[in-house]
Amino acid sequence: MSLYNRFTAHLDAVLDALEADGTLPAGLNRKPVTVEPPRDASHGDLATNAAMVLAKPAGTNPRLLAEKIVAGLERLDEVEGASIAGPGFINLRLTDATWRAELAAIHAEAEDYGRSSTGEGVTVNVEYVSANPTGPMHMGHCRGAVVGDALATLLEHIGYKVIREYYINDAGGQVDVLARSAHVRYREALGEAVGEIPEGLYPGDYLVPVGQALAAEYGDKYVGAPESEWLASFRTKAVAAMMDMIRSDLALLGIHHDIFSSEAELQAAGKPEAAEKWLRDHDLVYDGVLEAPKGETPEDWEPVELPLFRSTKFGDDQDRPIRKSNGSWTYFGADMAYHYQKAQTADQLIDIWGADHGGTVKRIQAAVAALTEGRARFDVKLIQMVRLLRDGEPVKMSKRAGNFVTLADVVKEVGKDVVRFTMLTRKADAQMDFDFAKVVEASKDNPVFYVQYAHARISSLGRRAEEAGMALPAPDMSRLGTEELGLVKLAAQFPRVVEGAASAREPHRIAFYLNDLASAFHSWWNMGNDNPQARVILTDDPATTSARLFLSRGIGQIIRNGLALMGVAALTEMQ
């Protein structure tokens, strides 16, 4: 149990006692009660809003209630003092022994420090990337891939069972275009001079090996054959080849999915029909006519009766068609069935989408709410695009890839860890620039370097102590002063940050926290530049050296744990 969870339990025990003696009525909602660091560290180590939150429903004065809560908390051995601020906020100052014990806990729990069982018994399906299977991964897919993968790891870290899923959009017109593009390369492989790839087809050279494989398998059988004879088989072969390429590209980022779900297989299995039947049985689909589009009515618009989902019942601004006038499924109809399928094996669903899909969020949320009868929590995280720069100038596109920059090329240039860390240095819904020069810059302005450098510095300390031939005693943590315990206090926030990031579905919080921790460590380290007695390695003082090494290694452990959640290796040396 983390320090913050432990003090939440202490606070609950005090509130239970106040309920037992009649000070508080039983059954008050304690969910809004928090235990967190105060905004101003000078106020103390922990703060709680308990009196402010509970006073009104309890029909009492918040400051009077705060006094009674403080009286209970002050009895704890870990509490050095408690005070009341303003109308009833409670600030606690903990004993130095409490923080020293927390440093020992960091060492004892090691890579498990920050884990919890918060999500135990709950299954979460995280669907991310889901790029159309029409080519290699490009940098437009990269950010969503990293955010989704880091979020899945975060949720696992606090006890959830996580299903990592990729949805293959292999039932739409784009895969027919892929098949036709592969047919051009197939003819090319057989010696035909195809010239410029026709407008509307995929021009990238990545389809050349696909065409060669098709030529080896079929010979010239389909060179002049009508499309109806080869389209289906070429589509299947080309999609399979693209998915092999996509899996390989994702592996460069250390990303692997548990499930690859096919839209074509979903439709072949009749899943959309099953979802429609369920919705009709519950009066959530009806046959009706859509209202004319707002503004000037297009000439080709006509009132056609369509099966409509009652999405307005769930907060959408209009009901949505699940089939087209020709009877085929709308994108929404197929997507609705897919989410219905996912909800059969998961308690919660998370979709990682590009920001350009923002307009469809409400209707899918409505569909999931209807099909699960409100049982499944469903979150959609929208990811903004990444702008690639080289020395501040936009990066030129690649004709070989088909007018985009491949993920593989970027990873090979700057490395997996740099790419993953950088993708998490901003909120997912904020615009991001990825400048090839800046992401590898050895500067404190580059958070990738700054955090890795902190870990490398810590790793160097043990080597330096060995080189000095120091015989170090067991660490005596009483040697740690105010500055050192300040680092412990920041390190102790890690479990709380992890739970908060997982709950909010915001893995970037880990990167922000690691940057703050690295900054605090570097500041402490740099004190030794002005004051030799503040250095970690003191050859004439093995006892203090041992304690400071113990602290440094604890900070290093937190950095490693945080980087692991991001899928980033912790460097022990900087090149």
Side-chain angles (χ1 to χ4, degrees):
M1 181 182 291
S2 74
L3 181 141
Y4 287 88
N5 287 341
R6 189 166 74 248
F7 271 84
T8 298
H10 289 328
L11 177 60
D12 276 335
V14 171
L15 296 176
D16 288 343
L18 293 176
E19 283 187 6
D21 68 15
T23 300
L24 289 174
L28 290 179
N29 178 20
R30 298 183 190 175
K31 284 187 177 179
V33 173
T34 60
V35 175
E36 57 191 3
R39 291 183 180 178
D40 186 342
S42 67
H43 292 168
D45 299 320
L46 301 178
T48 177
N49 63 352
M52 299 293 295
V53 168
L54 300 176
K56 186 173 182 179
T60 187
N61 179 281
R63 194 167 181 93
L64 291 176
L65 177 57
E67 290 173 358
K68 293 180 180 180
I69 294 172
V70 162
L73 293 173
E74 283 184 322
R75 298 190 189 103
L76 297 170
D77 291 339
E78 294 170 286
V79 175
E80 185 176 88
S83 60
I84 301 169
F89 287 102
I90 298 170
N91 293 315
L92 302 177
R93 194 171 300 279
L94 307 186
T95 65
D96 288 351
T98 300
W99 295 114
R100 292 173 183 135
E102 193 64 19
L103 177 57
I106 292 171
H107 279 271
E109 295 177 33
E111 65 271 11
D112 289 330
Y113 188 80
R115 288 189 183 274
S116 76
S117 58
T118 302
E120 191 171 352
V122 179
T123 299
V124 183
N125 180 297
V126 185
E127 183 225 321
Y128 56 108
V129 189
S130 298
N132 287 339
T134 55
M137 300 294 295
H138 58 72
M139 283 301 287
H141 305 125
C142 180
R143 195 176 183 188
V146 172
V147 169
D149 198 57
L151 177 54
T153 302
L154 260 178
L155 292 167
E156 286 175 332
H157 206 69
I158 65 167
Y160 289 92
K161 178 185 177 183
V162 176
I163 300 170
R164 291 168 157 89
E165 186 155 345
Y166 186 117
Y167 185 44
I168 307 172
N169 299 111
D170 55 356
Q174 78 277 358
V175 289
D176 286 342
V177 174
L178 176 70
R180 295 183 186 110
S181 306
H183 190 265
V184 173
R185 296 299 189 179
Y186 156 75
R187 301 195 326 264
E188 182 181 50
L190 291 169
E192 182 178 331
V194 297
E196 287 290 321
I197 302 300
E199 187 73 24
L201 299 185
Y202 298 114
D205 290 351
Y206 58 84
L207 284 173
V208 170
V210 178
Q212 292 169 344
L214 290 167
E217 181 172 356
Y218 295 121
D220 62 0
K221 180 179 180 181
Y222 295 122
V223 171
E227 184 177 284
S228 59
E229 292 185 14
W230 54 260
L231 186 68
S233 61
F234 273 50
R235 181 172 56 218
T236 299
K237 301 281 187 183
V239 167
M242 293 303 97
M243 288 309 302
D244 285 344
M245 187 183 299
I246 286 170
R247 288 186 181 92
S248 177
D249 289 346
L250 288 173
L252 293 174
L253 278 176
I255 293 174
H256 306 275
H257 290 80
D258 301 312
I259 296 174
F260 287 82
S261 293
S262 160
E263 181 183 2
E265 291 177 6
L266 182 88
Q267 295 193 25
K271 295 299 177 70
E273 288 86 355
E276 180 183 6
K277 182 181 184 304
W278 190 94
L279 290 167
R280 284 189 182 276
D281 290 345
H282 291 78
D283 192 32
L284 291 171
V285 162
Y286 66 97
D287 295 317
V289 178
L290 286 172
E291 293 182 10
K294 293 180 180 179
E296 187 175 344
T297 303
E299 290 183 8
D300 61 351
W301 183 84
E302 56 179 332
V304 177
E305 188 174 74
L306 298 170
L308 303 177
F309 167 58
R310 298 185 190 276
S311 54
T312 51
K313 189 174 179 179
F314 301 90
D316 199 1
D317 54 0
Q318 68 179 70
D319 292 342
R320 303 289 178 176
I322 62 173
R323 289 181 187 264
K324 302 174 185 176
S325 57
N326 64 4
S328 64
W329 296 102
T330 61
Y331 181 84
F332 168 66
D335 215 25
M336 180 180 66
Y338 169 56
H339 284 80
Y340 186 41
Q341 174 177 279
K342 289 196 293 185
Q344 306 310 304
T345 56
D347 305 298
Q348 299 181 12
L349 307 178
I350 302 172
D351 286 0
I352 309 296
W353 290 354
D356 56 332
H357 288 75
T360 64
V361 171
K362 276 190 176 180
R363 68 192 70 171
I364 291 295
Q365 287 177 329
V368 172
L371 289 164
T372 67
E373 299 180 277
R375 172 184 60 81
R377 175 181 172 181
F378 176 45
D379 293 319
V380 177
K381 301 300 292 183
L382 296 177
I383 311 295
Q384 288 288 348
M385 291 288 287
V386 177
R387 188 172 64 143
L388 293 178
L389 304 172
R390 196 176 293 280
D391 297 323
E393 296 296 324
V395 174
K396 291 182 180 179
M397 297 296 146
S398 164
K399 289 184 179 180
R400 181 194 64 78
N403 206 34
F404 56 79
V405 178
T406 67
L407 181 153
D409 286 344
V410 175
V411 172
K412 288 170 184 175
E413 178 170 345
V414 302
K416 170 183 78 75
D417 292 337
V418 168
V419 173
R420 287 192 65 120
F421 196 114
T422 303
M423 291 299 125
L424 295 170
T425 54
R426 300 203 68 185
K427 290 183 66 173
D429 59 0
Q431 294 285 345
M432 171 178 280
D433 287 345
F434 185 100
D435 191 309
F436 284 88
K438 291 186 179 299
V439 298
V440 295
E441 186 177 72
S443 159
K444 67 182 181 64
D445 296 325
N446 176 12
V448 185
F449 170 81
Y450 203 49
V451 173
Q452 292 280 28
Y453 187 37
H455 189 268
R457 269 184 159 176
I458 290 166
S459 300
S460 74
L461 289 170
R463 296 193 296 269
R464 288 169 57 187
E466 288 179 12
E467 290 166 4
M470 297 182 69
L472 299 176
D476 174 6
M477 285 185 281
S478 68
R479 296 272 181 160
L480 301 177
T482 302
E483 293 288 343
E484 287 86 0
L485 294 182
L487 274 175
V488 177
K489 293 174 185 181
L490 184 53
Q493 291 186 32
F494 180 67
R496 177 178 167 273
V497 171
V498 170
E499 291 211 5
S503 177
R505 315 317 203 199
E506 293 184 339
H508 70 270
R509 294 189 186 190
I510 303 300
F512 286 15
Y513 167 79
L514 290 181
N515 195 56
D516 288 344
L517 183 61
S519 178
F521 176 79
H522 287 306
S523 294
W524 176 63
W525 173 288
N526 290 334
M527 289 171 57
N529 294 334
D530 300 322
N531 177 11
Q533 289 305 306
R535 293 174 183 168
V536 178
I537 306 295
L538 300 174
T539 54
D540 60 347
D541 190 346
T544 299
T545 297
S546 178
R548 290 177 179 172
L549 274 174
F550 192 71
L551 168 64
S552 300
R553 287 166 177 158
I555 301 302
Q557 183 68 63
I558 300 296
I559 292 175
R560 283 195 300 282
N561 291 1
L563 290 175
L565 290 175
M566 299 168 67
V568 176
L571 300 183
T572 57
E573 291 183 283
M574 302 295 286
Q575 299 299 324

